Amino acid sequence: MNSFQSVRDLLHAWQPEIPVYCVYPHVYSDSTRSFLAGFPGRVLYAVKANDEPAVVRLMHQAGITDFDCASLPEVALVSENCPGAKCYFMVPVRLRGAARAAQEQYGVRHFVVDHPKGLELLAGEIDMKKSVVFARMAVHHNSAIYDLSAKFGAEPREIPGLIKAIALLGAEPALAFNVGSSVRSPEAYRHALGVAADVLAELPFRLRLVDIGGGYPRSYPGYVMPPLDDYFDVIREGIRALPLAEGGEILGEPGRALAAPGLSALVEVLLRKDDRLYINDGLYGAFWELRFEGHNRYPVRAYRKGEALNGGEQRSFRLLGPTCDSTDQLPGAVDLPENIDTGDYLEFGHIGAYSLGGRTRFNGHYSDKIVYIDDSHELPPM
Ligand SMILES: *Cc1c(COP(=O)(O)O)cnc(C)c1O
Protein backbone atom coordinates (compact mmCIF):
# COMPACT_ATOMS: atom_id res chain seq x y z
CA MET A 1 0.00 0.00 0.00
CA ASN A 2 1.31 3.47 -0.88
CA SER A 3 2.05 6.05 1.78
CA PHE A 4 2.08 9.83 1.52
CA GLN A 5 2.85 12.48 4.09
CA SER A 6 -0.34 14.34 3.20
CA VAL A 7 -3.13 14.50 0.64
CA ARG A 8 -1.33 17.53 -0.83
CA ASP A 9 1.77 15.37 -1.40
CA LEU A 10 -0.40 12.69 -2.96
CA LEU A 11 -1.95 15.19 -5.39
CA HIS A 12 1.43 16.69 -6.29
CA ALA A 13 2.73 13.21 -7.15
CA TRP A 14 -0.33 11.81 -8.79
CA GLN A 15 -3.68 13.11 -10.09
CA PRO A 16 -5.77 9.96 -9.63
CA GLU A 17 -8.66 9.59 -12.08
CA ILE A 18 -10.41 7.11 -9.78
CA PRO A 19 -11.39 7.60 -6.11
CA VAL A 20 -8.60 7.08 -3.58
CA TYR A 21 -9.39 6.06 -0.01
CA CYS A 22 -6.98 7.58 2.52
CA VAL A 23 -6.31 5.80 5.81
CA TYR A 24 -5.05 8.08 8.62
CA PRO A 25 -3.38 5.60 11.02
CA HIS A 26 -2.92 8.08 13.88
CA VAL A 27 -6.60 9.08 13.74
CA TYR A 28 -7.71 5.45 14.05
CA SER A 29 -5.17 4.87 16.77
CA ASP A 30 -6.33 7.87 18.86
CA SER A 31 -10.08 7.32 18.41
CA THR A 32 -9.84 3.58 19.12
CA ARG A 33 -7.76 4.09 22.26
CA SER A 34 -10.19 6.69 23.49
CA PHE A 35 -13.17 4.35 22.92
CA LEU A 36 -11.33 1.56 24.76
CA ALA A 37 -10.59 3.87 27.67
CA GLY A 38 -14.21 5.00 27.99
CA PHE A 39 -16.28 1.89 27.36
CA PRO A 40 -17.18 0.07 30.60
CA GLY A 41 -16.57 -3.46 29.30
CA ARG A 42 -14.77 -5.58 26.72
CA VAL A 43 -14.77 -4.07 23.23
CA LEU A 44 -15.38 -6.29 20.17
CA TYR A 45 -14.86 -4.47 16.86
CA ALA A 46 -17.80 -5.23 14.51
CA VAL A 47 -15.81 -6.04 11.40
CA LYS A 48 -18.65 -5.42 8.94
CA ALA A 49 -18.40 -1.65 9.49
CA ASN A 50 -15.03 -1.68 7.68
CA ASP A 51 -13.26 -4.90 6.78
CA GLU A 52 -10.35 -3.32 4.91
CA PRO A 53 -7.35 -5.32 6.23
CA ALA A 54 -5.31 -2.16 6.87
CA VAL A 55 -8.12 -0.80 9.07
CA VAL A 56 -8.64 -4.10 10.90
CA ARG A 57 -4.88 -4.26 11.63
CA LEU A 58 -4.91 -0.69 12.96
CA MET A 59 -7.75 -1.59 15.35
CA HIS A 60 -5.68 -4.54 16.58
CA GLN A 61 -2.56 -2.40 16.99
CA ALA A 62 -4.54 0.16 18.97
CA GLY A 63 -5.52 -2.50 21.49
CA ILE A 64 -8.61 -4.30 20.17
CA THR A 65 -8.13 -8.03 20.85
CA ASP A 66 -11.70 -9.22 20.23
CA PHE A 67 -13.67 -9.09 16.97
CA ASP A 68 -17.37 -9.45 16.20
CA CYS A 69 -17.54 -11.42 12.95
CA ALA A 70 -20.66 -12.34 11.01
CA SER A 71 -19.30 -14.77 8.41
CA LEU A 72 -16.49 -17.26 7.92
CA PRO A 73 -14.58 -14.90 5.57
CA GLU A 74 -14.63 -12.23 8.31
CA VAL A 75 -13.27 -14.76 10.80
CA ALA A 76 -10.54 -15.73 8.31
CA LEU A 77 -9.67 -12.08 7.63
CA VAL A 78 -9.25 -11.26 11.33
CA SER A 79 -7.33 -14.46 12.01
CA GLU A 80 -4.90 -13.76 9.18
CA ASN A 81 -4.37 -10.09 9.99
CA CYS A 82 -4.45 -10.03 13.78
CA PRO A 83 -2.31 -12.75 15.37
CA GLY A 84 -3.66 -13.77 18.77
CA ALA A 85 -7.01 -12.01 18.31
CA LYS A 86 -10.24 -13.71 19.33
CA CYS A 87 -13.19 -13.94 16.94
CA TYR A 88 -16.80 -14.16 18.07
CA PHE A 89 -19.27 -15.50 15.48
CA MET A 90 -22.13 -13.19 16.40
CA VAL A 91 -24.87 -13.76 13.83
CA PRO A 92 -27.79 -16.12 14.57
CA VAL A 93 -28.17 -17.38 10.98
CA ARG A 94 -25.05 -18.71 9.26
CA LEU A 95 -24.16 -20.54 6.04
CA ARG A 96 -24.32 -24.28 6.51
CA GLY A 97 -20.96 -25.54 7.80
CA ALA A 98 -19.64 -22.07 8.72
CA ALA A 99 -19.83 -22.54 12.50
CA ARG A 100 -18.08 -25.92 12.23
CA ALA A 101 -15.28 -24.46 10.10
CA ALA A 102 -14.94 -21.43 12.38
CA GLN A 103 -14.44 -23.67 15.38
CA GLU A 104 -12.31 -26.37 13.75
CA GLN A 105 -10.09 -24.12 11.64
CA TYR A 106 -9.98 -20.92 13.68
CA GLY A 107 -10.78 -22.01 17.24
CA VAL A 108 -13.90 -19.83 17.53
CA ARG A 109 -15.75 -20.54 20.79
CA HIS A 110 -18.46 -17.84 20.92
CA PHE A 111 -21.68 -18.09 18.92
CA VAL A 112 -25.20 -16.69 19.08
CA VAL A 113 -28.71 -18.08 18.48
CA ASP A 114 -32.20 -16.59 18.60
CA HIS A 115 -34.41 -19.63 17.94
CA PRO A 116 -34.64 -23.28 19.13
CA LYS A 117 -34.15 -24.57 15.59
CA GLY A 118 -31.11 -22.35 15.15
CA LEU A 119 -29.71 -23.78 18.39
CA GLU A 120 -30.24 -27.30 17.09
CA LEU A 121 -28.39 -26.46 13.85
CA LEU A 122 -25.52 -24.88 15.77
CA ALA A 123 -25.24 -27.80 18.19
CA GLY A 124 -24.96 -30.12 15.18
CA GLU A 125 -21.83 -28.30 14.01
CA ILE A 126 -19.78 -27.34 17.08
CA ASP A 127 -18.55 -28.90 20.29
CA MET A 128 -21.02 -27.32 22.71
CA LYS A 129 -18.93 -28.28 25.75
CA LYS A 130 -16.15 -25.90 24.79
CA SER A 131 -18.42 -23.11 23.54
CA VAL A 132 -20.24 -20.07 24.86
CA VAL A 133 -23.62 -19.58 23.18
CA PHE A 134 -25.40 -16.25 23.51
CA ALA A 135 -29.19 -16.03 23.31
CA ARG A 136 -29.98 -12.89 21.30
CA MET A 137 -32.86 -10.90 22.67
CA ALA A 138 -34.91 -8.44 20.61
CA VAL A 139 -35.13 -4.96 22.14
CA HIS A 140 -36.92 -2.11 20.48
CA HIS A 141 -36.41 1.55 21.19
CA ASN A 142 -37.47 4.46 19.05
CA SER A 143 -34.11 6.25 19.22
CA ALA A 144 -32.23 3.80 16.99
CA ILE A 145 -32.01 4.86 13.35
CA TYR A 146 -31.74 1.25 12.23
CA ASP A 147 -33.70 -1.23 14.34
CA LEU A 148 -31.40 -4.24 14.60
CA SER A 149 -34.17 -6.22 16.29
CA ALA A 150 -36.38 -6.06 13.21
CA LYS A 151 -34.59 -9.10 11.82
CA PHE A 152 -32.91 -10.99 14.65
CA GLY A 153 -33.68 -11.65 18.28
CA ALA A 154 -36.12 -13.67 20.36
CA GLU A 155 -38.67 -11.82 22.45
CA PRO A 156 -37.62 -11.35 26.10
CA ARG A 157 -40.22 -13.89 27.34
CA GLU A 158 -38.62 -16.58 25.13
CA ILE A 159 -35.10 -15.94 26.41
CA PRO A 160 -35.18 -17.98 29.65
CA GLY A 161 -36.28 -21.10 27.73
CA LEU A 162 -33.56 -20.58 25.12
CA ILE A 163 -30.90 -20.07 27.78
CA LYS A 164 -31.93 -23.24 29.63
CA ALA A 165 -31.80 -25.18 26.33
CA ILE A 166 -28.28 -23.88 25.66
CA ALA A 167 -27.17 -25.00 29.13
CA LEU A 168 -28.78 -28.44 28.71
CA LEU A 169 -26.75 -28.98 25.53
CA GLY A 170 -23.56 -28.37 27.50
CA ALA A 171 -22.50 -24.88 26.38
CA GLU A 172 -22.09 -21.89 28.66
CA PRO A 173 -25.18 -19.74 28.09
CA ALA A 174 -24.92 -15.95 27.80
CA LEU A 175 -27.17 -13.04 26.81
CA ALA A 176 -26.83 -10.67 23.83
CA PHE A 177 -28.89 -7.83 22.41
CA ASN A 178 -28.50 -5.04 19.87
CA VAL A 179 -30.26 -1.79 20.53
CA GLY A 180 -29.82 -0.63 16.92
CA SER A 181 -27.37 1.30 14.81
CA SER A 182 -26.70 5.05 15.07
CA VAL A 183 -28.59 5.12 18.35
CA ARG A 184 -29.62 8.72 18.87
CA SER A 185 -30.08 8.62 22.63
CA PRO A 186 -28.30 6.84 25.48
CA GLU A 187 -31.79 6.14 26.87
CA ALA A 188 -32.07 3.22 24.43
CA TYR A 189 -29.29 1.45 26.34
CA ARG A 190 -30.91 2.24 29.68
CA HIS A 191 -34.15 0.70 28.41
CA ALA A 192 -32.44 -2.43 27.03
CA LEU A 193 -30.33 -2.97 30.14
CA GLY A 194 -33.51 -2.72 32.21
CA VAL A 195 -35.20 -5.43 30.12
CA ALA A 196 -32.02 -7.53 30.41
CA ALA A 197 -31.95 -7.14 34.20
CA ASP A 198 -35.55 -8.43 34.43
CA VAL A 199 -34.80 -11.43 32.21
CA LEU A 200 -31.60 -12.28 34.11
CA ALA A 201 -33.41 -12.08 37.45
CA GLU A 202 -35.88 -14.73 36.27
CA LEU A 203 -33.19 -17.32 35.55
CA PRO A 204 -32.47 -20.12 38.06
CA PHE A 205 -28.72 -19.44 37.64
CA ARG A 206 -26.48 -16.43 36.99
CA LEU A 207 -24.85 -15.70 33.62
CA ARG A 208 -21.25 -14.51 33.28
CA LEU A 209 -21.45 -12.63 29.96
CA VAL A 210 -23.84 -10.00 28.59
CA ASP A 211 -23.16 -8.56 25.13
CA ILE A 212 -24.85 -5.20 24.69
CA GLY A 213 -24.11 -4.95 20.96
CA GLY A 214 -23.23 -1.93 18.81
CA GLY A 215 -24.96 1.29 17.87
CA TYR A 216 -22.65 3.95 19.40
CA PRO A 217 -23.09 6.88 17.04
CA ARG A 218 -20.77 9.39 15.40
CA SER A 219 -21.73 12.91 14.42
CA TYR A 220 -21.83 14.06 10.81
CA PRO A 221 -22.48 17.55 9.40
CA GLY A 222 -26.08 18.46 10.14
CA TYR A 223 -26.46 15.30 12.19
CA VAL A 224 -25.10 15.85 15.67
CA MET A 225 -25.20 13.01 18.17
CA PRO A 226 -24.58 13.12 21.93
CA PRO A 227 -20.94 12.47 22.94
CA LEU A 228 -19.94 8.82 23.46
CA ASP A 229 -19.26 9.52 27.15
CA ASP A 230 -23.00 10.09 27.67
CA TYR A 231 -23.61 6.55 26.40
CA PHE A 232 -20.80 5.10 28.50
CA ASP A 233 -22.20 6.78 31.65
CA VAL A 234 -25.69 5.35 31.10
CA ILE A 235 -24.25 1.91 30.34
CA ARG A 236 -22.00 2.00 33.42
CA GLU A 237 -25.05 2.78 35.53
CA GLY A 238 -27.24 0.15 33.81
CA ILE A 239 -24.78 -2.69 34.22
CA ARG A 240 -24.46 -2.08 37.94
CA ALA A 241 -28.04 -3.33 38.30
CA LEU A 242 -27.46 -6.53 36.28
CA PRO A 243 -27.48 -9.73 38.33
CA LEU A 244 -24.34 -11.45 36.96
CA ALA A 245 -22.25 -14.42 38.06
CA GLU A 246 -18.90 -13.98 39.78
CA GLY A 247 -16.37 -12.67 37.22
CA GLY A 248 -19.22 -11.32 35.12
CA GLU A 249 -18.31 -9.28 32.07
CA ILE A 250 -20.02 -6.85 29.68
CA LEU A 251 -19.16 -6.95 25.99
CA GLY A 252 -19.87 -4.23 23.41
CA GLU A 253 -19.70 -4.47 19.59
CA PRO A 254 -18.99 -1.01 18.18
CA GLY A 255 -18.72 -0.83 14.40
CA ARG A 256 -19.39 2.73 13.24
CA ALA A 257 -17.87 4.45 16.29
CA LEU A 258 -14.50 2.78 15.64
CA ALA A 259 -14.56 2.66 11.85
CA ALA A 260 -15.78 6.16 10.94
CA PRO A 261 -13.02 8.56 11.99
CA GLY A 262 -9.79 7.53 10.23
CA LEU A 263 -10.75 7.22 6.56
CA SER A 264 -11.38 9.77 3.82
CA ALA A 265 -12.39 9.52 0.17
CA LEU A 266 -10.51 11.66 -2.34
CA VAL A 267 -12.55 12.23 -5.50
CA GLU A 268 -12.17 14.29 -8.65
CA VAL A 269 -14.68 16.80 -9.98
CA LEU A 270 -15.39 15.45 -13.47
CA LEU A 271 -17.64 18.29 -14.55
CA ARG A 272 -19.16 21.40 -13.03
CA LYS A 273 -22.56 22.50 -14.29
CA ASP A 274 -23.53 25.64 -12.38
CA ASP A 275 -24.26 24.40 -8.84
CA ARG A 276 -23.93 20.72 -9.74
CA LEU A 277 -20.67 18.80 -9.44
CA TYR A 278 -20.29 15.41 -11.11
CA ILE A 279 -17.71 13.41 -9.16
CA ASN A 280 -16.04 10.03 -9.72
CA ASP A 281 -17.63 8.25 -6.71
CA GLY A 282 -21.25 8.00 -5.63
CA LEU A 283 -24.10 5.94 -4.22
CA TYR A 284 -22.89 2.80 -6.01
CA GLY A 285 -19.44 3.35 -4.49
CA ALA A 286 -18.23 4.47 -1.10
CA PHE A 287 -21.23 6.79 -0.52
CA TRP A 288 -23.84 4.03 -0.56
CA GLU A 289 -24.85 4.51 3.07
CA LEU A 290 -26.37 7.90 2.17
CA ARG A 291 -29.24 6.01 0.53
CA PHE A 292 -30.60 5.29 3.97
CA GLU A 293 -32.16 7.40 6.67
CA GLY A 294 -29.58 9.13 8.88
CA HIS A 295 -26.83 11.57 7.96
CA ASN A 296 -26.97 12.90 4.38
CA ARG A 297 -23.39 14.13 3.83
CA TYR A 298 -19.78 13.98 5.03
CA PRO A 299 -17.41 16.80 5.98
CA VAL A 300 -15.55 17.96 2.86
CA ARG A 301 -12.55 20.04 1.76
CA ALA A 302 -11.42 21.09 -1.73
CA TYR A 303 -7.99 20.98 -3.45
CA ARG A 304 -6.66 22.63 -6.61
CA LYS A 305 -3.26 21.76 -8.10
CA GLY A 306 -2.30 19.90 -4.95
CA GLU A 307 -3.11 22.69 -2.49
CA ALA A 308 -6.10 23.24 -0.25
CA LEU A 309 -8.60 25.55 -1.93
CA ASN A 310 -10.13 27.80 0.66
CA GLY A 311 -10.90 31.39 1.40
CA GLY A 312 -13.28 33.40 -0.74
CA GLU A 313 -17.01 32.99 -1.08
CA GLN A 314 -18.69 29.68 -0.25
CA ARG A 315 -21.63 28.30 -2.13
CA SER A 316 -23.86 25.29 -1.81
CA PHE A 317 -23.36 22.48 -4.37
CA ARG A 318 -25.19 19.29 -5.26
CA LEU A 319 -22.99 16.23 -5.82
CA LEU A 320 -23.72 13.60 -8.48
CA GLY A 321 -22.06 10.22 -8.94
CA PRO A 322 -20.44 8.90 -12.13
CA THR A 323 -22.98 6.21 -13.11
CA CYS A 324 -25.84 6.57 -15.59
CA ASP A 325 -28.46 6.04 -12.90
CA SER A 326 -30.47 9.20 -12.14
CA THR A 327 -30.73 8.24 -8.48
CA ASP A 328 -26.92 8.38 -8.16
CA GLN A 329 -27.03 11.80 -6.47
CA LEU A 330 -25.82 12.46 -2.94
CA PRO A 331 -28.80 13.58 -0.88
CA GLY A 332 -27.16 16.43 1.06
CA ALA A 333 -25.79 19.60 -0.54
CA VAL A 334 -22.33 20.70 0.61
CA ASP A 335 -20.72 24.12 0.99
CA LEU A 336 -17.57 24.60 -1.10
CA PRO A 337 -15.52 27.51 -2.48
CA GLU A 338 -17.63 29.32 -5.06
CA ASN A 339 -14.92 28.92 -7.75
CA ILE A 340 -14.64 25.13 -7.48
CA ASP A 341 -14.26 23.66 -10.97
CA THR A 342 -13.75 20.67 -13.21
CA GLY A 343 -10.45 18.95 -12.36
CA ASP A 344 -10.39 20.03 -8.71
CA TYR A 345 -10.42 17.38 -6.00
CA LEU A 346 -12.68 16.92 -2.98
CA GLU A 347 -11.77 15.03 0.18
CA PHE A 348 -14.63 13.64 2.26
CA GLY A 349 -13.72 12.83 5.86
CA HIS A 350 -15.24 10.56 8.48
CA ILE A 351 -16.27 8.07 5.80
CA GLY A 352 -14.75 4.93 7.33
CA ALA A 353 -17.99 3.25 8.46
CA TYR A 354 -20.25 1.43 6.02
CA SER A 355 -18.47 2.72 2.91
CA LEU A 356 -15.72 0.50 1.48
CA GLY A 357 -17.62 -2.72 2.20
CA GLY A 358 -20.60 -1.71 0.07
CA ARG A 359 -18.86 -0.56 -3.13
CA THR A 360 -20.26 -2.18 -6.23
CA ARG A 361 -18.99 -2.58 -9.79
CA PHE A 362 -22.18 -1.07 -11.18
CA ASN A 363 -21.58 0.59 -14.54
CA GLY A 364 -17.92 -0.43 -14.42
CA HIS A 365 -16.96 1.99 -11.64
CA TYR A 366 -14.90 0.54 -8.81
CA SER A 367 -11.79 1.73 -7.00
CA ASP A 368 -9.56 -0.32 -4.79
CA LYS A 369 -6.94 2.42 -4.34
CA ILE A 370 -6.19 2.69 -0.66
CA VAL A 371 -3.26 4.70 0.72
CA TYR A 372 -1.86 5.71 4.09
CA ILE A 373 -1.50 9.36 5.09
CA ASP A 374 1.44 9.17 7.46
CA ASP A 375 2.12 12.62 8.89
CA SER A 376 0.47 12.66 12.30
CA HIS A 377 -0.19 16.42 11.97
CA GLU A 378 -2.48 15.83 9.00
CA LEU A 379 -6.18 15.44 9.74
CA PRO A 380 -9.04 14.45 7.44
CA PRO A 381 -11.96 16.91 7.09
CA MET A 382 -14.02 16.75 10.29
C1 LIG B 1 -23.95 -4.08 12.64
C2 LIG B 1 -23.76 -4.73 13.96
C3 LIG B 1 -22.93 -4.13 14.93
C4 LIG B 1 -22.27 -2.79 14.75
O1 LIG B 1 -23.20 -1.77 14.73
P1 LIG B 1 -22.75 -0.22 14.76
O2 LIG B 1 -24.03 0.51 14.72
O3 LIG B 1 -21.91 0.01 13.57
O4 LIG B 1 -21.99 -0.01 16.04
C5 LIG B 1 -22.75 -4.80 16.12
N1 LIG B 1 -23.34 -6.00 16.35
C6 LIG B 1 -24.12 -6.60 15.44
C7 LIG B 1 -24.71 -7.92 15.76
C8 LIG B 1 -24.36 -5.98 14.22
O5 LIG B 1 -25.17 -6.56 13.33
Side-chain angles (χ1 to χ4, degrees):
M1 222 166 95
N2 289 323
S3 289
F4 297 91
Q5 286 296 298
S6 64
V7 168
R8 296 183 308 286
D9 279 7
L10 184 163
L11 289 172
H12 280 298
W14 176 33
Q15 292 80 51
E17 65 286 334
I18 57 172
V20 176
Y21 305 108
C22 304
V23 176
Y24 288 71
H26 63 284
V27 175
Y28 272 132
S29 173
D30 291 351
S31 60
T32 302
R33 286 174 210 277
S34 133
F35 193 99
L36 282 166
F39 186 77
R42 180 182 293 273
V43 174
L44 281 56
Y45 170 52
V47 175
K48 78 169 191 278
N50 187 330
D51 67 353
E52 164 57 35
V55 172
V56 172
R57 285 196 297 267
L58 285 169
M59 299 294 172
H60 189 229
Q61 284 159 19
I64 302 268
T65 56
D66 303 84
F67 292 82
D68 162 18
C69 301
S71 66
L72 192 59
E74 284 187 358
V75 171
L77 177 115
V78 171
S79 303
E80 280 153 24
N81 284 280
C82 310
K86 197 154 125 187
C87 293
Y88 297 62
F89 205 152
M90 294 302 280
V91 64
V93 179
R94 296 160 309 273
L95 298 194
R96 182 163 40 81
R100 184 194 307 276
Q103 183 152 78
E104 287 178 1
Q105 292 169 31
Y106 299 102
V108 174
R109 291 178 45 244
H110 296 77
F111 298 89
V112 62
V113 297
D114 67 353
H115 188 270
K117 183 68 192 178
L119 175 59
E120 185 191 317
L121 291 171
L122 179 66
E125 292 197 10
I126 63 169
D127 180 351
M128 291 291 274
K129 298 224 159 45
K130 61 178 185 199
S131 302
V132 176
V133 177
F134 292 81
R136 177 150 162 190
M137 178 173 76
V139 282
H140 309 278
H141 195 272
N142 57 15
S143 68
I145 282 286
Y146 308 110
D147 180 356
L148 288 181
S149 294
K151 182 167 172 190
F152 293 129
E155 288 308 315
R157 67 187 143 71
E158 299 165 339
I159 293 293
L162 201 49
I163 283 180
K164 285 173 210 157
I166 292 167
L168 272 176
L169 286 166
E172 175 184 342
L175 179 68
F177 58 80
N178 256 275
V179 169
S181 193
S182 263
V183 176
R184 276 179 290 199
S185 159
E187 290 309 308
Y189 291 90
R190 194 192 304 283
H191 168 76
L193 285 163
V195 176
D198 292 345
V199 168
L200 292 176
E202 258 181 62
L203 295 174
F205 45 80
R206 294 281 166 257
L207 301 186
R208 193 172 56 88
L209 300 178
V210 175
D211 182 340
I212 66 171
Y216 318 97
R218 286 289 183 186
S219 294
Y220 297 87
Y223 187 78
V224 177
M225 296 284 118
L228 290 175
D229 281 334
D230 290 6
Y231 293 78
F232 299 159
D233 288 346
V234 165
I235 292 166
R236 199 172 288 114
E237 203 179 301
I239 62 188
R240 249 185 249 126
L242 289 183
L244 288 183
E246 195 74 17
E249 216 180 341
I250 301 299
L251 316 179
E253 303 173 342
R256 176 184 311 279
L258 295 181
L263 188 90
S264 73
L266 184 63
V267 314
E268 186 177 10
V269 178
L270 304 175
L271 182 66
R272 174 176 175 178
K273 284 187 197 168
D274 192 25
D275 68 346
R276 293 193 295 170
L277 304 177
Y278 293 79
I279 59 177
N280 61 359
D281 203 346
L283 293 188
Y284 290 93
F287 293 86
W288 63 272
E289 196 193 27
L290 300 183
R291 288 177 183 277
F292 302 104
E293 196 190 333
H295 63 106
N296 68 5
R297 60 190 190 270
Y298 295 95
V300 61
R301 144 200 319 152
Y303 296 87
R304 174 169 297 164
K305 296 193 190 311
E307 295 301 324
L309 181 67
N310 41 34
E313 290 287 298
Q314 296 272 119
R315 169 173 177 178
S316 170
F317 289 91
R318 304 297 316 265
L319 300 166
L320 303 92
T323 71
C324 300
D325 183 349
S326 304
T327 69
D328 188 7
Q329 308 193 22
L330 278 55
V334 295
D335 288 336
L336 286 166
E338 194 277 329
N339 62 346
I340 190 92
D341 214 342
T342 305
D344 292 336
Y345 282 87
L346 304 178
E347 185 186 15
F348 295 88
H350 221 75
I351 198 172
Y354 304 110
S355 49
L356 297 184
R359 282 167 294 165
T360 74
R361 293 181 187 278
F362 182 60
N363 239 184
H365 293 282
Y366 184 85
S367 168
D368 208 13
K369 284 282 175 222
I370 300 179
V371 303
Y372 290 113
I373 300 298
D374 274 344
D375 186 335
S376 62
H377 298 97
E378 294 293 319
L379 290 174
M382 286 195 271

